[in-house]
């Protein structure tokens, strides 16, 4: 059985660079049960890899609850076929204005990809 493609996002915050892997979900419904990843004290990041779309949510961990700072959507597989130095997203910079923080990330697809849709 062939391995499924994975969404891999590389992020930098507070002088550290790490990666998070997200397998492709079977359905859109399971995306709503995913908890966001806490990055430092202020950022939350939720990569969602659905059968027809990649969604990337950057949020701030506000006392009143998570607040969205940036949402990016990419058609899959069409928008993810071309990957350069910073994957298919390019380098993204998200600013949290109250605490003056910056999250830098980029994402790529690793593993088998569909060639026709």
């Amino acid at each position: 059985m062939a391995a499924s493609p994975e969404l891999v996002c590389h992020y930098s915050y507070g002088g550290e660079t790490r990666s998070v892997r997200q397998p492709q979900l079977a359905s859109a419904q399971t995306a709503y049960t995913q908890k966001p990843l806490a990055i430092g004290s202020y950022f939350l990041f939720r990569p969602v890899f659905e059968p027809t779309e990649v969604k990337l949510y950057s949020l701030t961990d506000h006392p009143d609850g998570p607040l969205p700072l940036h949402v990016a959507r990419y058609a899959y597989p069409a928008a993810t076929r071309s990957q350069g130095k910073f994957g298919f997203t390019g380098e993204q910079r998200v600013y949290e204005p109250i605490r003056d923080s910056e999250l830098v990330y980029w994402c790529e697809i690793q593993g088998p990809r569909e060639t026709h849709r």
Side-chain angles (χ1 to χ4, degrees):
M1 186 168 147
S4 297
E6 281 188 312
L7 173 66
V8 181
C9 294
H10 311 275
Y11 63 90
S12 296
Y13 177 76
E16 288 188 355
T17 299
R18 296 188 178 184
S19 298
V20 60
R21 293 180 169 278
Q22 177 62 53
Q24 189 174 33
L25 300 171
S27 71
Q29 282 191 322
T30 56
Y32 296 105
T33 62
Q34 287 182 283
K35 287 184 140 187
L37 170 69
I39 299 175
S41 300
Y42 306 126
F43 285 103
L44 299 170
F45 185 68
R46 182 176 5 169
V48 178
F49 186 15
E50 296 176 343
T52 60
E53 190 171 38
V54 173
K55 298 176 189 170
L56 305 166
Y57 299 91
S58 301
L59 309 110
T60 185
D61 192 9
H62 191 271
D64 294 333
L67 295 174
L69 295 172
H70 181 257
V71 177
R73 297 171 64 173
Y74 302 87
Y76 179 80
T80 63
R81 283 192 182 120
S82 176
Q83 299 194 84
K85 178 180 177 182
F86 294 108
F88 65 88
T89 62
E91 185 179 65
Q92 301 293 310
R93 294 178 176 266
V94 181
Y95 296 94
E96 198 287 327
I98 296 171
R99 300 173 189 109
D100 197 29
S101 298
E102 178 186 48
L103 171 68
V104 179
Y105 76 86
W106 62 275
C107 301
E108 62 183 323
I109 299 293
Q110 290 184 354
R113 275 180 248 154
E114 297 177 45
T115 56
H116 300 286
R117 188 68 129 184

